[in-house]
Amino acid sequence: DVRSAKGAADTARGAGDRNALFLGHGGRADRAELMRDAELLEKSGARIAESERMVGETETMGIGILEDLAEQRRTIQRARETVSFGRGFCAGVEWALEIWG
């Protein structure tokens, strides 16, 4: 069991007892198991760290995309207002030309 092996390793490591760490629970077989478990934990920790890094990058990219979309929305809204103003102005010019023309 990984948890019990890690607990035993942490206890022995904390006590500074090399024999208990490597040979205290059955000799070389336990040492090999502890080494495998330690390697497994190390690999799992590396995968978790890589996943966290990717989450951070994804979050940063998402924030950038949302900011770009918000700016594009503001640009479109300004363009609509400009077109709307232009239509009103043209309608006024057409009306004036009809009256004066």
Side-chain angles (χ1 to χ4, degrees):
D1 177 52
V2 174
R3 286 187 188 158
S4 64
K6 184 177 182 330
D10 288 343
T11 301
R13 202 177 293 125
D17 186 353
R18 183 173 172 80
N19 287 334
L21 179 60
F22 293 115
L23 302 173
H25 294 89
R28 292 176 191 249
D30 279 346
R31 179 178 181 196
E33 185 178 344
L34 286 173
M35 296 300 281
R36 279 192 309 273
D37 291 345
E39 185 179 339
L40 177 65
L41 286 171
E42 212 172 292
K43 286 179 182 179
S44 297
R47 282 195 307 261
I48 289 170
E50 177 64 15
S51 297
E52 289 173 343
R53 185 191 64 76
M54 290 175 66
V55 165
E57 286 179 5
T58 303
E59 184 176 328
T60 300
M61 288 174 58
I63 289 169
I65 290 168
L66 289 175
E67 288 172 351
D68 289 346
L69 287 172
E71 181 58 33
Q72 290 173 9
R73 179 183 178 141
R74 287 189 291 272
T75 300
I76 290 169
Q77 287 174 335
R78 284 192 303 270
R80 277 188 184 154
E81 291 168 4
T82 301
V83 168
S84 178
F85 175 78
R87 284 183 182 157
F89 180 76
C90 288
V93 169
E94 288 174 359
W95 176 78
L97 289 174
E98 286 179 16
I99 290 177
W100 294 337

